[in-house]
Amino acid sequence: MACNSTATAIQLLERLPPSPSSVFWWNQLIRRALHLGTPRQVFALFRRMKTLGWTPDHYTFPFVFKACPFLSLGASLHATVARSGFASNVFVSNALVSMYGKCGALTHAQHVFDDLCQRGVQDLVSWNSIVSAYMGASDSNTSLLLFRKMTRVNLMSPDVISLVNVLPACASLAALVHGREVHGFAIRSGLVDDVFVGNAVVDMYAKCGEVEEANKVFQRMVFKDVVSWNAMVTGYSQAGRLEHALSLFERMREEDIELDVVTWTAVITGYAQRGQGCEALDVFRQMSSCCSRPNAVTLVSLLSACASVGALLHGKETHCYAIKFILGLDGPDPGDDDLKVINGLIDMYAKCQNTEVARKMFDSVSSKDRDVVTWTVMIGGYAQHGDANHALQLFSEMFYESIKPNDFTLSCALVACARLAALRFGRQIHAYVLRNCYGSVMLFVANCLIDMYSKCGDVDTAQMVFDNMPYRNAVSWTSLMTGYGMHGRGEDAVRVFDEMRKVSLVPDGITFLVLLYACSHSGMVDRGIDFFNRMRKEFGVDPGPEHYACMVDLWGRAGQLGEAMKLIDEMPMEPSPVVWVALLSACRLHSNVEVGELAAKRLSELESGNDGSYTLLSNIYASASRWKDVARIRYMMKRSGIKKRPGCSWVQGRKGVATFFVGDRSHSQSQQIYETLADLIHRIKAIGYVPQTSFALHDVDDEEKGDLLFEHSEKLALAYAILTLPPAAPIRITKNLRICGDCHTAITYISKIIENEIILRDSSRFHHFRKGSCSCKGYW
């Protein structure tokens, strides 16, 4: 064997008569095969030994159990052990516990361990083996409980293996107190000087969020290996302290420490988490040039980086690499790594707005193999970058597959509800959250609930959710302020801002953006000017282009276009497209052709013309009866390939959501809808309603313009709701574009003759119509 000739050694053993003393040589052969990583050779030697009549001893079986690749073979060997009379041997039993643990058979492992304890022969290796078995199954709670029982009840002193087993359990549970106790024992016993223990302590502190403590341990380590460095780089990266991670990364290069896949992946992940996808892709290129082969975790982080910058081409290249080297597409079921990569691919394609390919990836995974992440990334992709209706449909299907949603799934579904103004569905999700006690409603789920209720027209319930939150962050406050702003309740938005300051939260640029938005939509010109002036002087926040756009909108809605133009001229930076769009919108509201043309010209120079800006200018010309200019703008749109989005309104009826386009007659109750609408128009004309034909943007006579106004989608949605809902039920309408002036006037009049409150959400804000008045007070 010293000459590496296993075959010769076997030939010699075959000539020897079987004897207990000579079993040692078979054990040496089996041990050598195990160390060489050839489990088939281990079992070939074991079978040959048995065939020749040799009897394995209590040293043979532990070696064979270590090489056991799957449960059925291990169970068969266990039966052989029982027949051979070695089941009571502590060395063999310890190996059995370890084997069952590696095969994922925790019940069998626990049974063997319990038998050892009942006979009172368990030793430190027994405890280490059972703790390791539960850690291998990701059951950190049980691992930690067993370790505490070993040290506190059985009074056994842990060794290096004990500490290396339990510290990852503390890390995964963020059990900092227990982690500190283990660290304290390691210091007192001197085991902390072992590099494996030191690495585990560094990793534990980093994963518990105590990265400075991790760094102190790291600095005190006499000997560091690449794992030590990786633990710190990964710790800084996960803590969002990318600069520190990069500094260590550069030190590793300077000190010629070998960079392995873990090092590269930690840096790529750090950039990806910050949304710095280009930098992450650059690090990956460096990794490839160093011939370091990425693993599944690397690819998941790289896909996240591609998603953050919309790098679809790089994402596709990563997909190709995964097919070649990572994904086991020939197997019947995807492994854990395969599924992580597939989930990353679904997320990448969805965030790069290619939901069709994302859905194909989702469908390629059988329903039994999908985990909650698979469902979540697809639902999130639809909710944020595709079709919110599909998101809610998939969320419903998830329950039929008996997959329990997590906090992220619920947040994605709530985003979809907010986009569709699907209040009924949102309430059902809220009820599910309360029934299933999601950590007293997780912070980001509660924030999504505030957003959902606000965007579904029920800002008072959003306030109730906010009031019941045990902990709030800046997003909670700004979400509620945004909700009040959307509903034109500027005073309430200011009240929330004042309360926010009382709890010592420092307002930032986003806070002031929300405040200015609320003031603009509530006609609070003086308050808006005051907040804008105080931003820099009192709070040290420099106004950005978006803040100036809000101020232009504020002046514009108030009809003070001169002040708006003056503010634009005084801007310390070049006005961005959003500023000119705000001015163009104000010109549409006040029919100012001259300033509107200027704003449109500036947008054209910035190459920011879209269907919205062209439509606004066209509408300005139409309201001034400049039909040749209207035709010119429409020709320019056609020549540029820009299509105007068709107006669309949807409303929650008794039997679900109904959708309407202008002049829509596709609904099964179309005749009744038009009859109801005709009756409503007839009744409100009797009390003073006069169709505002300036909003019928066609070069036809006034009578025909009145007919065109009659068929607007929001009027059809309202007629359907009145036809199908109970008299006092709130009517909730959503429109994809801004409500037209005539529809606003007509609905105001209709609210005089019906009992229902009409809540209409357009692309700009909410309108609450009740008893002949609207909450917008003309600021829309």
Side-chain angles (χ1 to χ4, degrees), residues 193-209:
D193 295 328
D194 182 275
V195 67
F196 296 106
V197 175
N199 291 343
V201 172
V202 170
D203 183 65
M204 180 274 296
Y205 278 122
K207 287 179 178 173
C208 288

Side-chain angles (χ1 to χ4, degrees), residues 418-419 421 450-457 486-487 761 766:
R419 283 179 176 264
I450 293 170
D451 182 65
M452 181 275 295
Y453 277 117
S454 296
K455 290 179 179 174
C456 289
M486 290 173 65
H487 290 265
R761 167 183 155 188
F766 273 90

